[in-house]
Amino acid sequence: MDALDRHVIKTALETLRAAGGTGLKKAALLSQIDLAAGAPTTDEQREAAFTLMRDRGWITSYMEPIWHDQRWTLTERGMTALEGM
């Protein structure tokens, strides 16, 4: 992971931390990844960052009870990773 990737991941994790237990929809999280990059990113780049966070167990999802939207939140493991960045 290079410095730009690290910055993008860190910004996404910080955004999830700020969202708290409510979390974010995937589209909003991918939008934050795009903004953190400082330049337009491809769908593949955004998905790669998202997949890295999900596969490492830094984020998890739950189903919203009223609207049935999937929302993503920061895990304890993700918090530890964020603190280490």
Side-chain angles (χ1 to χ4, degrees):
M1 186 180 338
D2 65 18
L4 178 60
D5 291 340
R6 194 171 301 127
H7 171 72
V8 168
I9 298 295
K10 182 178 180 183
T11 300
L13 294 176
E14 287 173 339
T15 301
L16 284 172
R17 179 177 58 188
T22 304
L24 295 172
K25 293 180 186 177
K26 184 177 179 180
L29 183 56
L30 294 178
S31 176
Q32 288 299 311
I33 290 170
D34 196 40
L35 288 173
T41 57
T42 65
D43 290 340
E44 292 80 19
Q45 289 170 317
R46 289 188 298 275
E47 280 295 328
F50 178 83
T51 301
L52 180 131
M53 292 185 295
R54 185 194 64 213
D55 290 352
R56 291 189 178 184
W58 295 348
I59 61 175
T60 190
S61 67
Y62 72 95
M63 192 64 67
E64 221 175 38
I66 296 173
W67 301 109
H68 303 287
D69 290 324
Q70 186 177 27
R71 297 183 78 86
W72 292 87
T73 59
L74 188 63
T75 64
E76 288 296 320
R77 186 179 217 174
M79 183 64 80
T80 301
L82 178 58
E83 291 171 355
M85 289 184 181

